[in-house]
Every structure is written in structure tokens, then in C-alpha cells.
Amino acid sequence: MLSDAPKPPQVKEVEGEAAGQPMLTDAPKPPQVNVTEGEGAEQPMLSDAPKPPTVKEMEEEVGDQPILCDAPKPPAVKAMEEEVEGQPILCDAPKPPTVKEMEGDGAMQPMLSDAPKPPQVNVTEGEGAEHPRLSDAPKPPQVNVTEGEGAEQPLLINEDPNPAVKVTERGVQLKFFLQLVEQGDVDGEWTIQEVVERFVRPKTAATKGCLFDVIPETYTGLPRFFVSHTWSRRLKDLLALLLSRFVEKEEHDTLLWLDIVAINQHPYEDKGCLLQDDVASLASVVQATEQALFCLDEQCVVLIRMCVVLTRIWCLYEVWQTFLAKGVSGLMVLMPNVDMKELTKVFETFDVMQAQATQAEDKERILQQITESMGSIEVNLQLKAALVNSAKYEAKHTNKTGAELSVILDKGGGLCKAMGQYTEAEPMYQQALEGRKRVLGADHPDTLSSVNNLATCISVQGRYHEAEALYQQAMEGRKCVLGADHPDTLKSVNNLATCTSGQGRYQEAEAMYQQALEGRMRVLGADHPDTLTTVNNLAICNSDQGRYQEAEAMYQQALEGRMRVLGADHPDTISSLGNLADTLNSVTGLANCINDQGRYQEAEAMYQQALEVMKRVSGADHPHTICSVDYLAGCMYAQGRFQEAEAMYQQALEGRMRVLGADHPDTLNSVTGLANCINDQGRYQEAEAMYQQALEGMKRVSGADHPHTISSVDYLAGCMYEQGRFQEAEAMYQQALEGRMRVLGADHPDTLNSVTGLANCINDQGRYQEAEAMYQQALEVMKRVSGADHPHTISSVDYLAGCMYEQGRFQEAEAMYQQALEGRMRVLGADHPDTLNSVTGLANCINDQGRYQEAEAMYQQALEVMKRVSGADHPHTISSVDYLAGCMYEQGRFQEAEAMYQQALEGRMRVLGADHPDTLNSVTGLANCINDQGRYQEAEAMYQQALEGRKRVLGADHPDTISSVFNVAGCINEQGRNQEAEAMYQQALEERKRVLGADHLDTGDAMYNLAECIESQGQRSKEAQALIMSAAEIYLRVYGPKHDETTDALSRAGAD
């Protein structure tokens, strides 16, 4: 049967630095799960069509609200860990300012606006326009520039300029600028623009040259560092930023290259074309220096909201030149005072292709050069890597202590986690926590915020027990310090509930969500965004328990509340981007719930709605948009539209590769999702290679014991199982089960899924008693943990029924199938795909008892509903046609059966392709029907076609391929070519012994048919009788003494 499409999770909101990871569920074939912010993962159904996961929204401790996708978002950490439930950014950058004088602000200018254009890039007027002072911007620490009391002040400006030095060699010591401020030649409150106008130009008025020409040689030399900065920044702020990098006094002799010193700042009309050479040398300057210092501070971050700094094309030109010359290590971003929440927005939304420019031709020409060299995607990734590396460097080398150090460590940890570098983030969070404990005390609110952030980082690594203890600690501390009804305490309740849900303890989680909801209703009101967040989380918890109608009502409540309070797409809402994230998250959550109920067309429309809004607001490459693509792919996959789904999964994968990088957990989850889609199209070798790729990446990034890594093992096991490599698959299923037992515990839904997956593999090897015991174990635990009416529990009943059916215990199996059908009718409704699967399972059991008319009526019922719900071309619908054909065939209505088999074959050829295993099954079914009408040559050609196809797709040792050998032998034997037939029967018997074992039922069937072939030749009766007796012993052991197969074989063998 077609498994339900794995869909990206919906985020459950949890407070803290990016939420914990969703659990990966996968029995019988695990669904795709994307690494997301939400703790408390979704569990797929344990039915023949495992359900895709939903991920929960997690409330950020200090900053961003949950996002719509599985991509973990960067943290938003402020100094002193202010507890604000901030909003995630859904767009690449807010709109640029409309005030004319702000144009070009923040761009790192190689020259003034009136300078000539360089030969390579057309620099136009306005890029370096004058910038207003930002008097309300937060001020960095005062720069202490005193060189020593009473020290003789050196001469700072030469009377005899020397303009002969090349622009690439115009380095000036940091202490030169410090002394300018100390001696009063320059006011530290001036912006860089004002420094140029009030100091640089007057001092060089006589020569119309650059400032470097008149600086004494004692301060100059070959530059070691290229400094990239904005002209709106005050000089004192720039110096403070540089001093954060060059901490020791002896480092003040470091030679720097700054544009205001090295580039002529006079209008180009007075200098002819000389400045063109200076600007053209910009790339050479970057290449000649050791490292580029990219200055980003609090004032700079204020401007991020107006699309400047990291979004200006000239700024990015310098970044690109650095990467070309030095790689990632060549760029250091100085950002000690940057607000983490603002930096997070830049990190999430940065895209060089969306850069702003005063003149369109500047952007066009620079982007063309970038595209032709390393490409915009690589620039995006390298800049993000440089931000992370810079944060690590700052955390390691800063001279800050106490609370200030904790803020820096939180920033480093947050950026590492945003890049999926969880093991590097954790020690930073741990150090920040220890520092706050030491300085502020264990019960200080900021310390408790650090506890929460560390818990979230540990949770995202799948260490849920450790995370739960920390969440519990944060909650108890806040209750004691702030009170039970404080909003921060209620956030901790929400987070602990999410962590509990992630461990499959849904009833406990539901009680805690209810507590958080009641508290927020009382304290904040019904329409507060935090209250609506808890409503959304409670909806997901209900959905996880299979209570879809309750869940849908709560999703609808959350969506309507967010639409009413925040708006759907109003410009003011979009400018407050987290609000839009919440609204779209509710749309996606509701779509997930509708999708889980099999209402795929409704769900698809909602996924499409969310995707279109995300594209318009955030751009195609935003992680949230990519996640919406992934959701839509999953919905198409669930409808059996594999080619469309594959294209969209590929689009999501390529987007994550481009935005997050190949080793990010979300990218690896996209690899898995695409592999699932390919696997279900029967392209097993391609799928296996991708599962293996995801597994190796997960091991490398997250470790062998991370739940996602264990799920990758489970996926790979499923692919091997599909190929009939049962022993390899069993070993992998066993490995996954042991890992989940160790990490998640015996009662976790994912662990029970592993029990079911392993049982399936054992069952298909004919070890029915072992399999039945495992199915029974899973069913009992599911009843205890989730209740008798949970969809997973009902699926466990269905699995157990199937195992009994395989053993020929038809009456017991029928009773279990009936129980599963009634449960699904009650919980999911008559039209749900899982309910229709139960109708088919029960019909199979009735059919094999010879009650053909009852069975046919049920097959017809399933077919009609499948047509109405899923369409005539859905793989499930085509399978229903095939089942009905089989029932007609059993009744000897060969012509009707042949027409139905032909219809099923044509449908599968059209939808799945000629080589899909299901298509080859239809070839075999049609061949059987033709063979029994005595058209042996036609049948033989079709059996041979199926055999060749299965060899090509599944391999010579797959059980289905061996069955094709058996079918060809039977057809040849019917034509009287007994010796050929005997050779092929013998081949099939030997292969079944090797692949399935000597005691498998299929091996017994091969013995029986070989014996009949030998008997038909009128010789070797003893040999034939011995084979029949061996078959009878297998039937006796598996079916018992009263089964028809057993009694017939014993009678033929002459035994009592």
C-alpha cells in the first residue's frame, strides 16, 4: 500500500533558543521528518500507511516565535536575557526608508558619491550619500584613548605630503585615530561622514589628495587588516568596535586600511581619473591584507530594519572580494554589542541577490560578477559561516566577564545552533549559565533564562531526559521567584509540556498545556498571542493522540484568533513579521490536521495558500518558504502524485542546500523526504543511496544516538526490506529498536514503531510466532500509553490480524480485522484511506475463506469510495481495482477478471511506470488470468516480462523475482514441457531455501509444486512423495493439523 506522505512538521511553540527536535516515526515505513524548532514530535500512524509528523510550536525564551518550518531558527539573545516572546522574521528584509537622505546609508563606501566610477563596477552617485546622525541609537562604551598622562603629543599631520604610496599599501595604525580623538583634532561624536567633511577634506585641501599622504610615516605601513564600516557610525563607536578586536595596548600599533584615509575624498572633477585607479584597487587591497574586519554594532543594527548594512550592494561587494581572496577565514565580523534578535533576522533572511542599491546598474553589474565567479549561493553560505566563526572567536578571545560575557556566549551559541552545530553551541550555553549563576545567583531570572536556553539546545540533540530536568528546574525557579501566574512561568510550563510530548507522554503534556492555557487566559486574555500559541500547541497534542476533530476545532480557534488580532496579510502585520509567522503556522497546523483525516484536497489548498503568502512576503529562498514547499510536496505524495511530489521535494532540498548547507540537519531531512518519494516509485537503489547519505550526515552532525540518526537507520532498513534483503533489514531494524529503547524508552511511540517494523520483517521471513509476539507486545503497550481508540493502537490491531491471516487462522484474523475496521470507522470516519484499507484487509480474509460474494461487495465498496475521495488514478484506487479483479478470478469469471486486471495494469503503467513493482504485480495477475484460460503462450510471455522486470528492479534474489521463476515454471509445465519446468521449479526451490529458509511457507509451496511436476512425468514417485511430506511438515508447523493445506499434503504423502 502507498504510505502516507511524510510532511514537514508543524512547529510547537517552545520558549528558548530554537526548539527541540520532532521525533522521527517510521513503522512500517518511516515517514520523513524534518529537523524543526518544535519539541515534541509528531507520531505517524502505525498502519500500513504511516502518518506524517506534525511538529510543535515552541516559545522562544528571548526572541523569536516558532516558525512554520523545520529549520531551527537562530536565537534572539539580549544582554541580561530580557524575557520577551519575540517574533520570527518571515521576510528577507524590511522595506528601505522613504526618507531621501537615508539613501545609501550603511553602505561601506570605497569613495564619496561624487567620485568617479571604477572600470569594473559602475559606481554611481548617491551610494555614499551623507548620512544623518542617529542620536537615539544606543551608545557603546566610551573609548579611552589616553596614551599616558603628560605625554608629549606627536605630530599627527605632515606639512610635506608624500603621495607616492600605492593605495594597497596605505595602512595606518589604530593608535593614530585614538590620538586624533584624544588631542581634540577630531570629535569622537562626529559620524564618519562628518570626519571626512570637517577634518579629512580641510587637511588635504591644498593637495586635493588623500589623508594618508599627510600622515607621518611613524603611523603608516603595509596594512594587515581591511576595515569595512558604515559612514553613519560615530567615530567613537567605530573605535570602540575596533578595540573589541585589538584588546591589548600593544595591539594598537596594528596597521589598518580605512577608506577615509586611503581613498581621495575630494570630488573627482578636481582629480581627473586618478581616483578610478584607487577604486579599481579595492579588490587588490582585500587580497593584500590578512583579514577583512566587517564592523557591525548596535547603531548599525538599528539600520538593519531599513535594508542597509548587510543588505547594501557595496557592502556585499567587499564581502565577496574577501571570500574570493581569502575564503571564509578572511572575514571577521565585529559585533560585540549587536542585539541578537536583530542579528537573527539578518542571519535568517540574508540573500545577496536581494541586496539594495541606490542605482540599479550598480547592483546588476556587481551581481553579474558574483554570479560568474563563486555564485550568490556560496556567498550566502560563506557569510553565514563567517558570522558563526566570528561569534566563536569573540566568545573565546573577549576580555568581558560576568553578565556581559554570558551575552556574548549566548550569541555564539545561538548562531552555532542556527547552523545546526549543536555540539558547539552547547558548551557556550553551559558557560553562559555558569557565569550567570556565579554573578547573579541560581534564582535570578536571567540565570533561569540560561537554564531554559541550555535545555532547548540539549533537547534539539534528542537528549530529552536531560532537557526535561532543565525545563523543570527553570519552571520551579520561576514559580518561586516570579510566581505561578507570571508570563515567564507560564512559558516554562509550555516548554516542559512540549518536551514531555516529545517523549510520547501525551496525556501529561496535555494537562500541562491546559494549565498554561488557563493561566494565560487569566493573565493575558483570550486573544493574546501567547494564549493563542498555547491553543495551537494543545491542538497539536490532541492530533498526536488521534483526536482529530477536537484538534481541528482548536486549530481553527487559534487561526481565527490570530487572524483577528494579528491579521493575515496586512502591511502592518507583515512589518511585524512574527505575527505573520503565527498566522501562517496556524494555517499549516490546520492543514496538517485536515490532511491526517484524508481530506487531501482541502489540505492542499491551505498548504498552497501558506506557500504563496510566504513567497510574496519572504521570498523563495527563506527557510519558511522552503518548508511550505515541503509541506505541499508531502500532500501531493499522500495523493500518489509522485512525479509532482518528487519535483517539489527536489525543490525543497535544493533550497535548503543553498540556504543552510549540505550538512544542516534540515537539509539531511530533505534528503530523506526525497528518498521516501523515490523509494515508493520502486527506484530502490537510488533511494538506498540517499538514505545512506542522510544516515552518514546525521551521524557526523548529530551523533549516533540522536533520534534523527536512529530514524535514518530505520529508513535504510525499510528500503532494504522493500528489496527483499530481509536479513540485512532485520539487523538494521534491530539496531534502530535498540537505539530507541536506549534513548527514548520502551514505551515511546517511536520505539513501538520499531517493534512493528522489526515484526514486519520477521513475519515476511515466515517466522510467524516471533512476529505475532512482537505485534502483541506493541498492541498492549499502545493500549496502555495511548488508549484503545488511538489510530496507532488500531493499526497495531490491524498488523496482528495480518499475522494471523498469514498463518491461515482466518476466523481469528477476521475478528481482528473487524475490530480494526470498526475502530477506524469510529475515529477516522468511513471515507478515511486507513478505514478503506481495513475494508480491503477484511475483504481479503473473507475472500480466502471462499465467501466470494461478501468479499466482492466489500472490494466494490472500497473501490467506489477510493474513486470519490482520491480519484481514479490514485495508486490506492488502482489497487482496489486489482483486488476486485482477483476476487472475480477466484470465482472463475475470467473474462471479467481479465478486463479488470487490464484496467489496473494500464493505470499503474500510466501513474507508476512500467518498471514499478506494483506494475509488475499487475502483469503477473493478468498473466495468471490468461494462463487459466489456456492461452499459455500469451501468459508465458507476460510471466517472462514480469521476471525480467523484477530481476532488473528488485534483483535476482528478491522473493518476488523467485515467485516469477515459479510462475514461468508453472506455465511451461501446463504446456507439457515438464523437464524445463522441473529445472525451473528446482531453481525456485533452491533460491527460496537460501533467501527465505527451509521452513518458510513459500519454500513448502515450491516443494509441493516440484513434486507435482515430477509426478506428472510418471517416474520418481518416491522422490515426489518425500517432497510432499516435507511440505506437509511445514504446513503442519505453520498452519496446524486442521488447515486444508495441511490435510491435503498429508493425504497426498500417505501420512495419517
Side-chain angles (χ1 to χ4, degrees):
M1 299 295 297
L2 170 70
S3 67
D4 280 337
K7 65 172 178 273
Q10 181 211 356
V11 182
K12 201 173 241 183
E13 301 174 32
V14 92
E15 181 182 15
E17 294 295 16
Q21 301 301 334
M23 308 304 302
L24 293 176
T25 57
D26 35 35
K29 173 183 171 185
Q32 179 223 357
V33 179
N34 292 340
V35 183
T36 67
E37 313 251 10
E39 175 60 48
E42 59 307 341
Q43 309 305 334
M45 293 181 61
L46 288 173
S47 69
D48 40 6
K51 303 307 292 180
T54 53
V55 179
K56 303 159 188 183
E57 303 179 52
M58 305 180 72
E59 298 173 39
E60 287 294 333
E61 174 67 32
V62 283
D64 293 352
Q65 278 300 341
I67 59 179
L68 287 180
C69 67
D70 37 355
K73 52 182 179 296
V77 181
K78 291 187 177 180
M80 302 304 294
E81 287 295 306
E82 181 181 354
E83 301 273 339
V84 289
E85 194 168 23
Q87 305 298 333
I89 291 306
L90 286 180
C91 71
D92 290 317
K95 297 178 180 179
T98 56
V99 183
K100 185 176 182 180
E101 61 266 32
M102 290 302 294
E103 287 191 335
D105 195 274
M108 289 169 280
Q109 308 295 345
M111 60 180 191
L112 293 180
S113 59
D114 49 5
K117 299 176 182 179
Q120 289 182 319
V121 180
N122 184 12
V123 185
T124 55
E125 291 187 1
E127 184 65 21
E130 293 185 14
H131 308 303
R133 293 273 299 278
L134 295 181
S135 57
D136 54 348
K139 298 181 180 181
Q142 182 65 42
V143 180
N144 184 0
V145 296
T146 305
E147 293 287 335
E149 293 202 18
E152 182 180 352
Q153 301 301 336
L155 181 67
L156 293 177
I157 299 298
N158 270 333
E159 295 299 327
D160 300 317
N162 177 18
V165 180
K166 294 179 181 179
V167 68
T168 58
E169 300 174 354
R170 297 172 187 172
V172 180
Q173 292 176 346
L174 173 59
K175 69 182 180 183
F176 169 77
F177 301 99
L178 298 173
Q179 289 176 5
L180 279 180
V181 176
E182 178 190 1
Q183 293 181 195
D185 295 284
V186 172
D187 188 342
E189 295 291 335
W190 290 352
T191 65
I192 303 300
Q193 180 76 43
E194 291 172 324
V195 171
V196 169
E197 294 171 352
R198 301 169 69 173
F199 178 78
V200 175
R201 287 178 182 168
K203 291 298 182 182
T204 57
T207 62
K208 299 297 183 182
C210 64
L211 184 63
F212 179 88
D213 298 340
V214 295
I215 297 175
E217 291 184 1
T218 54
Y219 293 101
T220 65
L222 294 176
R224 290 182 56 201
F225 296 91
F226 173 89
V227 180
S228 185
H229 62 94
T230 60
W231 281 43
S232 62
R233 179 183 287 110
R234 293 175 300 181
L235 177 61
K236 63 183 288 186
D237 298 338
L238 175 60
L239 294 179
L241 206 57
L242 292 170
L243 288 173
S244 73
R245 171 62 178 81
F246 305 108
V247 178
E248 304 300 329
K249 188 172 182 179
E250 54 268 23
E251 293 182 292
H252 297 177
D253 291 337
T254 301
L255 289 156
L256 308 174
W257 192 98
L258 281 90
D259 52 0
I260 64 170
V261 172
I263 296 292
N264 192 318
Q265 300 301 324
H266 292 278
Y268 70 87
E269 290 86 355
D270 296 331
K271 293 296 291 181
C273 62
L274 294 179
L275 283 178
Q276 295 191 32
D277 294 333
D278 289 343
V279 177
S281 299
L282 187 61
S284 299
V285 175
V286 173
Q287 294 172 8
T289 52
E290 294 178 14
Q291 195 174 48
L293 303 179
F294 191 104
C295 298
L296 199 67
D297 64 8
E298 283 185 298
Q299 181 174 345
C300 192
V301 167
V302 171
L303 298 174
I304 287 175
R305 291 188 179 277
M306 294 180 284
C307 287
V308 294
V309 191
L310 287 177
T311 61
R312 297 303 298 180
I313 195 64
W314 267 108
C315 159
L316 298 175
Y317 174 80
E318 295 173 356
V319 169
W320 164 60
Q321 287 290 341
T322 301
F323 290 153
L324 277 181
K326 307 289 183 183
V328 174
S329 62
L331 182 67
M332 172 70 70
V333 184
L334 304 182
M335 46 182 176
N337 300 314
V338 169
D339 180 87
M340 190 61 196
K341 183 178 176 182
E342 299 299 331
L343 183 59
T344 292
K345 297 169 185 176
V346 175
F347 193 92
E348 272 196 342
T349 61
F350 173 76
D351 182 3
V352 66
M353 299 302 292
Q354 302 301 320
Q356 302 295 312
T358 305
Q359 297 295 328
E361 57 263 33
D362 285 358
K363 175 178 177 179
E364 182 180 347
R365 295 185 184 189
I366 291 176
L367 289 181
Q368 182 179 357
Q369 291 188 32
I370 290 175
T371 302
E372 291 173 354
S373 59
M374 63 192 304
S376 62
I377 295 171
E378 189 61 26
V379 172
N380 293 344
L381 292 175
Q382 288 198 21
L383 181 54
K384 289 183 178 182
L387 282 167
V388 173
N389 292 343
S390 300
K392 292 179 188 176
Y393 181 93
E394 182 185 357
K396 185 176 181 180
H397 294 92
T398 183
N399 61 355
K400 303 292 185 182
T401 59
E404 289 181 299
L405 174 60
S406 294
V407 172
I408 291 171
L409 290 165
D410 278 333
K411 177 171 58 184
L415 287 178
C416 285
K417 186 154 59 61
M419 288 291 283
Q421 300 173 10
Y422 306 126
T423 55
E424 295 185 60
E426 184 181 343
M428 293 188 190
Y429 283 131
Q430 184 69 51
Q431 189 179 345
L433 172 58
E434 291 168 359
R436 286 182 169 132
K437 276 185 181 177
R438 188 168 53 250
V439 174
L440 303 174
D443 287 340
H444 192 280
D446 290 352
T447 307
L448 297 174
S449 292
S450 277
V451 172
N452 186 89
N453 294 342
L454 179 61
T456 303
C457 186
I458 288 173
S459 180
V460 86
Q461 297 175 68
R463 289 150 49 198
Y464 301 115
H465 295 303
E466 294 176 65
E468 182 179 353
L470 286 165
Y471 280 133
Q472 185 75 42
Q473 177 186 338
M475 183 182 73
E476 295 301 328
R478 283 170 167 167
K479 276 185 181 177
C480 181
V481 174
L482 303 173
D485 275 353
H486 192 280
D488 292 348
T489 307
L490 296 173
K491 286 181 183 179
S492 284
V493 174
N494 179 88
N495 292 353
L496 184 57
T498 301
C499 187
T500 302
S501 180
Q503 298 173 68
R505 290 150 48 198
Y506 301 124
Q507 292 178 332
E508 292 179 64
E510 183 178 353
M512 297 184 78
Y513 281 132
Q514 193 64 49
Q515 176 188 342
L517 176 60
E518 291 170 0
R520 284 175 162 169
M521 290 278 285
R522 185 169 57 249
V523 174
L524 303 174
D527 279 348
H528 191 279
D530 290 358
T531 307
L532 297 173
T533 288
T534 304
V535 172
N536 202 74
N537 286 350
L538 192 54
I540 296 171
C541 191
N542 284 334
S543 184
D544 283 342
Q545 297 176 73
R547 289 151 45 195
Y548 297 123
Q549 292 179 331
E550 293 177 64
E552 184 176 345
M554 297 201 76
Y555 278 129
Q556 192 68 47
Q557 178 187 341
L559 176 59
E560 291 172 358
R562 284 169 166 168
M563 291 280 286
R564 182 172 61 251
V565 175
L566 306 173
D569 203 17
H570 190 278
D572 292 343
T573 302
I574 295 173
S575 66
S576 180
L577 296 162
N579 296 348
L580 183 59
D582 284 346
T583 303
L584 293 177
N585 202 29
S586 289
V587 172
T588 304
L590 182 57
N592 288 347
C593 187
I594 289 172
N595 193 73
D596 283 348
Q597 296 176 68
R599 291 150 53 192
Y600 299 124
Q601 292 179 331
E602 290 179 68
E604 183 175 350
M606 298 189 77
Y607 288 132
Q608 190 69 51
Q609 173 192 351
L611 175 59
E612 292 305 317
V613 174
M614 287 302 310
K615 279 183 179 177
R616 184 175 67 252
V617 174
S618 304
D621 272 353
H622 193 283
H624 303 175
T625 308
I626 297 171
C627 180
S628 292
V629 172
D630 208 67
Y631 275 114
L632 187 55
C635 188
M636 291 174 175
Y637 173 87
Q639 297 174 70
R641 290 151 53 192
F642 295 129
Q643 291 180 332
E644 293 175 75
E646 182 179 347
M648 297 209 70
Y649 277 130
Q650 186 68 48
Q651 179 183 339
L653 174 58
E654 290 171 359
R656 283 172 171 158
M657 288 280 285
R658 185 167 57 248
V659 174
L660 302 174
D663 270 355
H664 194 283
D666 291 352
T667 306
L668 296 172
N669 285 334
S670 280
V671 172
T672 300
L674 181 57
N676 286 344
C677 189
I678 289 173
N679 191 72
D680 275 4
Q681 294 177 70
R683 290 149 54 193
Y684 299 124
Q685 292 180 331
E686 288 180 68
E688 183 175 351
M690 297 188 77
Y691 286 132
Q692 190 68 51
Q693 173 190 344
L695 174 58
E696 294 305 319
M698 284 292 188
K699 281 183 180 177
R700 185 171 59 251
V701 173
S702 303
D705 271 353
H706 193 285
H708 298 177
T709 308
I710 298 171
S711 290
S712 291
V713 173
D714 206 84
Y715 281 116
L716 186 56
C719 186
M720 292 173 175
Y721 168 83
E722 292 285 349
Q723 297 174 72
R725 291 152 53 191
F726 296 129
Q727 292 180 331
E728 291 176 76
E730 182 178 348
M732 296 289 285
Y733 276 130
Q734 187 66 47
Q735 179 184 339
L737 174 59
E738 291 170 359
R740 282 172 166 164
M741 289 281 286
R742 183 172 61 251
V743 174
L744 302 174
D747 285 355
H748 193 280
D750 287 356
T751 306
L752 298 175
N753 286 342
S754 283
V755 171
T756 301
L758 181 57
N760 288 344
C761 188
I762 289 172
N763 188 74
D764 278 5
Q765 295 176 70
R767 290 148 53 194
Y768 299 120
Q769 291 179 330
E770 287 180 68
E772 184 175 347
M774 297 187 78
Y775 288 132
Q776 190 68 51
Q777 171 194 346
L779 173 59
E780 294 305 319
V781 177
M782 284 302 306
K783 281 183 179 177
R784 184 177 74 251
V785 172
S786 301
D789 274 353
H790 193 284
H792 298 182
T793 308
I794 299 171
S795 293
S796 292
V797 173
D798 202 79
Y799 278 117
L800 185 57
C803 186
M804 292 173 175
Y805 170 83
E806 292 286 344
Q807 298 174 68
R809 292 152 53 192
F810 296 129
Q811 291 181 332
E812 292 177 76
E814 182 179 345
M816 297 289 285
Y817 276 129
Q818 187 67 48
Q819 179 184 337
L821 175 59
E822 292 171 359
R824 283 172 168 164
M825 289 280 286
R826 184 170 59 252
V827 174
L828 302 175
D831 286 354
H832 193 280
D834 288 354
T835 306
L836 298 175
N837 287 342
S838 283
V839 171
T840 300
L842 181 57
N844 287 342
C845 189
I846 290 173
N847 189 71
D848 279 4
Q849 296 177 68
R851 292 149 53 194
Y852 299 124
Q853 291 181 331
E854 287 181 67
E856 183 174 347
M858 298 187 76
Y859 287 132
Q860 191 68 52
Q861 172 194 345
L863 174 59
E864 293 305 318
V865 178
M866 283 302 305
K867 280 183 181 178
R868 185 177 72 252
V869 173
S870 302
D873 273 353
H874 192 287
H876 292 181
T877 307
I878 299 172
S879 292
S880 292
V881 173
D882 202 80
Y883 280 119
L884 184 57
C887 185
M888 292 174 175
Y889 169 83
E890 292 287 345
Q891 298 175 67
R893 292 152 53 192
F894 296 129
Q895 290 182 333
E896 292 177 75
E898 183 178 346
M900 296 290 285
Y901 276 129
Q902 188 66 48
Q903 179 184 338
L905 175 58
E906 291 171 359
R908 283 172 167 164
M909 288 280 285
R910 184 173 59 253
V911 174
L912 303 175
D915 276 352
H916 192 281
D918 288 353
T919 306
L920 297 174
N921 288 343
S922 284
V923 172
T924 300
L926 182 57
N928 288 340
C929 190
I930 290 172
N931 187 74
D932 280 6
Q933 295 177 69
R935 290 148 55 193
Y936 299 123
Q937 290 182 331
E938 288 180 67
E940 183 180 348
M942 297 191 76
Y943 283 133
Q944 194 66 48
Q945 175 189 343
L947 174 59
E948 295 304 320
R950 283 169 168 170
K951 279 183 180 177
R952 186 169 56 251
V953 174
L954 304 174
D957 282 349
H958 192 282
D960 289 352
T961 308
I962 300 171
S963 292
S964 282
V965 174
F966 190 88
N967 291 339
V968 174
C971 185
I972 290 172
N973 193 55
E974 290 284 350
Q975 298 175 64
R977 291 149 56 191
N978 305 123
Q979 291 181 336
E980 288 181 69
E982 182 180 343
M984 295 195 77
Y985 277 132
Q986 188 67 50
Q987 175 189 343
L989 174 59
E990 295 304 320
E991 289 172 349
R992 280 179 170 169
K993 282 182 178 179
R994 185 180 71 256
V995 173
L996 301 175
D999 288 341
H1000 196 281
L1001 275 175
D1002 289 351
T1003 306
D1005 290 341
M1007 292 175 180
Y1008 195 94
N1009 282 273
L1010 176 58
E1012 287 190 323
C1013 182
I1014 291 172
E1015 282 186 336
S1016 68
Q1017 299 176 54
Q1019 300 174 10
R1020 298 151 54 204
S1021 58
K1022 289 184 179 180
E1023 183 180 346
Q1025 191 173 24
L1027 284 166
I1028 292 173
M1029 190 64 205
S1030 296
E1033 290 171 356
I1034 294 173
Y1035 298 151
L1036 181 63
R1037 186 163 49 252
V1038 174
Y1039 289 143
K1042 295 183 179 180
H1043 193 277
D1044 289 345
E1045 297 283 351
T1046 307
T1047 56
D1048 178 64
L1050 288 173
S1051 175
R1052 292 282 302 274
D1056 293 332

